Amino acid sequence: MKVGVIGAGQLGRMLALAGTPLNMEFAFLDPAQDACAAHLGKHIVANYDDKVALEQLAKQVDLVTFEFESVPAETVAFLSQFVPVYPSAQALRIARDRWFEKSMFLEQGIPTTAFANVLSQADLDQAVAEIGLPAVLKTRTLGYDGKGQKVLRNVIDASNAFAELGNVPCILEGFVNFTGEVSLIAVRTREGDVRCYPLVHNTHNNGILHLSVASTDHPSQALAEDYAARVLKALDYVGVLAFEFFEVEGGLKANEIAPRVHNSGHWTIEGAQCSQFENHLRAVAGLPLGDTTKVAGTESAMLNCIGRVPDSVLVLQELDAHLHHYGKAFKAGRKVGHITLRCTDKEKLDEKIKTLENYL
Ligand code: AMP
């Protein structure tokens, strides 16, 4: 089977690495000449709205998927004329826009913080009056790793915030005093079968994911799975979807969804019976899903390598560590690799996390 992927970053690279044993071949479309998945398949160097290139991609693959949600929904709709695309253009349209996404949470009865659509400074002033401060102003689309958002603590912060975020459509969210952040990686087949991985605890540094730890018997697991099932069904979603939540007293508040394989699911490569990457490919290819449980008798975590990958010898001398170097140029704030830790118990895992953190 030939799989087309829009985007050829590390997520595309890990998809290709997971799909190769299933006899899948890959073609990527990405404007960056040096995209890190490129050498794992054919690489069409083109912009995401280049219709000639998109048609060229569509004609040489059996289906198309994407590795990041900033792809314009029109690109996916255009490709769908020629070849099946999973997830669908409609799912992408909702998941890439915080206003549509949060409105869907409300429709599905999923708790989320108060929010308002902000299309001007006047809208922002009114939203601040209704929701109160502190609050978080976020661009509706294209934000990632804490970019495209601003915490508003007082009226001075709010007074020019719409322009500070670029005079683009925004959403104002009530500030959530959360006790923790968790994410659920869920996957749904074309027939509607759903499987979920254990909830993952996430810690961020400067808005960028630093550490993900897969939980065991998390008290909100069933709740998160119920919320994810509602969203997956509402979107008639096919593939992996990541659902980020705030942990609050009494349960969870939905933060956002990502219509793709997700950084907080990288631990599944070594830590789960079947990784998020393989399960995404199985889902979009119409194959049965793999087991989403942890490898029996193990506990797993993932540490991101931001800006640089530590010396491989240092990392690999730790028997429980698995290094993933994305082959990208090192640059401050850039995700250039990750390390999975898979240990026999939680105590050992916590100890190894501390050891490896020293190398980052
Ligand atoms: P996001 O891009 O929406 O995932 O936001 C990035 C990070 O900002 C989250 O992981 C939270 O740590 C923080 N954050 C986002 N939205 C809120 C909110 N409404 N209240 C408090 N913190 C938030």
Side-chain angles (χ1 to χ4, degrees), residues 6 30 67 91 105 113 162 187 214 250 252 264 269 324 328 348:
I6 305 295
D30 192 306
E67 62 137 35
F105 295 157
T113 188
F162 186 70
V187 57
L252 300 172
S264 66
I269 298 176
H324 295 257
K328 291 161 63 169
K348 193 162 177 214

Side-chain angles (χ1 to χ4, degrees), residues 171-298:
I171 174 174
L172 185 74
E173 297 180 4
F175 193 88
V176 181
N177 284 312
F178 54 81
T179 52
E181 294 188 77
V182 290
S183 56
L184 186 79
I185 308 293
V187 57
R188 184 173 183 267
T189 63
R190 297 183 196 172
E191 288 76 34
D193 299 333
V194 174
R195 288 196 184 194
C196 299
Y197 289 89
L199 272 168
V200 176
H201 279 281
N202 298 316
T203 313
H204 299 83
N205 279 347
N206 304 318
I208 304 177
L209 183 64
H210 163 61
L211 170 69
S212 291
V213 183
S215 66
T216 305
D217 299 330
H218 193 289
S220 296
Q221 181 78 31
L223 191 62
E225 291 192 14
D226 172 38
Y227 294 157
R230 292 185 215 180
V231 165
L232 290 165
K233 188 155 186 250
L235 298 177
D236 193 17
Y237 193 91
V238 179
V240 162
L241 178 112
F243 206 145
E244 294 183 37
F245 297 99
F246 297 123
E247 288 180 297
V248 291
E249 209 178 309
L252 300 172
K253 273 193 181 171
N255 177 21
E256 62 174 348
I257 52 172
R260 55 173 170 78
V261 287
H262 194 256
N263 196 170
S264 66
H266 291 359
W267 68 274
T268 63
I269 298 176
E270 288 87 10
Q273 300 279 3
C274 182
S275 78
Q276 64 163 347
F277 299 98
E278 181 172 336
N279 259 335
H280 180 73
L281 292 168
R282 289 188 187 209
V284 299
L287 296 167
L289 294 180
D291 188 349
T292 49
T293 60
K294 282 184 210 159
V295 172
T298 66

Side-chain angles (χ1 to χ4, degrees), residues 115-137:
F115 63 98
N117 195 15
V118 171
L119 302 175
S120 64
Q121 183 64 39
D123 282 355
L124 177 57
D125 295 340
Q126 197 185 330
V128 165
E130 281 165 19
I131 290 174
L133 294 173
V136 188
L137 185 68

